[in-house]
Amino acid sequence: MLPLCERRRRVVTKDGVGFIDDRDVMVIEVQYRSATDFYENRSVVTTFDGRVGIIDRYGKYIIPPQYDRIEFDHQNGSRIKINRLIVDCSQ
């Protein structure tokens, strides 16, 4: 079983990836090709057409899936790298 991160656990099926909460209730339907564990209320998700975005713990897009690549700066969680651009999200 995958770990619980910020009260969300990834569910990986043959149809894709979604999330359940700490009571095993599906809170974000299986709809992604891949997704990271939640970190600071965010998960990087990849859609089935290969576009990358960021969702919050409720499945709402923080950054729409329109990029090729997104990375968190885990040492400075307020910064993310979108394609080759570094974005400061602290404000």
Side-chain angles (χ1 to χ4, degrees):
M1 183 177 282
L2 294 171
L4 192 64
C5 298
E6 297 190 18
R7 300 183 62 200
R8 297 291 185 261
R9 178 176 288 124
R10 278 184 296 145
V11 174
V12 180
T13 72
K14 64 179 178 59
D15 297 321
V17 180
F19 290 89
I20 58 175
D21 66 12
D22 52 352
R23 296 168 301 167
D24 292 336
V25 174
M26 183 68 70
V27 290
I28 301 172
E29 294 297 323
V30 171
Q31 59 186 300
Y32 305 107
R33 182 171 69 191
S34 66
T36 63
D37 288 329
F38 276 91
Y39 177 76
E40 294 189 357
N41 193 40
R42 299 174 285 200
S43 173
V44 177
V45 296
T46 304
T47 62
F48 285 103
D49 63 358
R51 306 311 287 168
V52 181
I54 295 179
I55 60 170
D56 66 14
R57 289 182 38 223
Y58 303 98
K60 180 179 176 190
Y61 279 106
I62 298 169
I63 296 176
Q66 57 190 23
Y67 300 99
D68 297 322
R69 184 175 180 167
I70 296 178
E71 300 173 18
F72 283 119
D73 178 350
H74 289 286
Q75 292 183 343
N76 180 356
S78 63
R79 290 176 46 184
I80 58 173
K81 188 176 188 181
I82 300 174
N83 292 341
R84 293 189 173 132
L85 174 69
I86 295 177
V87 178
D88 185 349
C89 302
S90 61
Q91 298 156 341

